[in-house]
Amino acid sequence: MNAHVKPDDLIDPAEARLRASRERLKQRLSPRTASQASEHEEAQGGDMSPSEMFDTVVKPATEEIVRRYPVRSLAAATAVGALAVRIRPWQGLIGSIIATTLIRKGSTVAAAWAMDKAADALEPQPGQRPPR
């Protein structure tokens, strides 16, 4: 056996998620003073713009769901896309605003992801010579 392996090194991702979930529950259930509770509520939802709300709430939750259930997420995205094509929500004014916002946000996220992947591909791996 390897004597240098620590017990913390053997924790699998499911166990880490469980520990993090328990810690969040402990924090939420612990008694707080009224001033701490109001500060927490302001920090959670105060005057957030829709873009900030998306970045802090929706995006991390969506990334976690897609990471855990990639096939289901792809099936759901396909179904939503087919439904959108079928009912054509972009034909009305409100639908066009929503569609434009979703397309803009989606293209921004896709471009950022592509740039990250390109940057990762250009970085030399350990033991590799950098490209000339």
Side-chain angles (χ1 to χ4, degrees), residues 54-120:
F54 179 84
D55 289 340
T56 58
V57 177
V58 177
K59 186 178 177 184
T62 305
E63 287 174 348
E64 180 66 20
I65 290 169
V66 170
R67 188 183 64 73
R68 285 188 190 175
Y69 309 105
V71 175
R72 291 180 187 171
S73 300
L74 182 62
T78 303
V80 169
L83 182 65
V85 168
R86 183 81 172 155
I87 63 173
R88 299 179 183 156
W90 52 86
Q91 287 183 339
L93 179 62
I94 299 298
S96 66
I97 292 170
I98 292 171
T100 303
T101 303
L102 289 174
I103 290 169
R104 185 177 348 139
K105 192 66 172 176
S107 63
T108 303
V109 169
W113 177 81
M115 294 298 290
D116 286 344
K117 290 296 180 182
D120 290 344

Side-chain angles (χ1 to χ4, degrees), residues 1 3 5 19 22 35 45 50 58 71 74-75 95 116 124 129 132:
M1 278 276 171
V5 176
R19 285 184 182 180
R22 286 179 179 164
S35 63
V58 177
V71 175
L74 182 62
D116 286 344
R129 290 189 340 214
R132 294 183 185 202

Side-chain angles (χ1 to χ4, degrees), residues 2-11:
N2 189 353
H4 298 291
V5 176
K6 299 176 186 173
D8 293 338
D9 294 341
L10 301 175
I11 296 174

Side-chain angles (χ1 to χ4, degrees), residues 41-48:
E41 289 171 4
E42 287 176 8
Q44 289 297 319
D47 295 329
M48 295 179 82

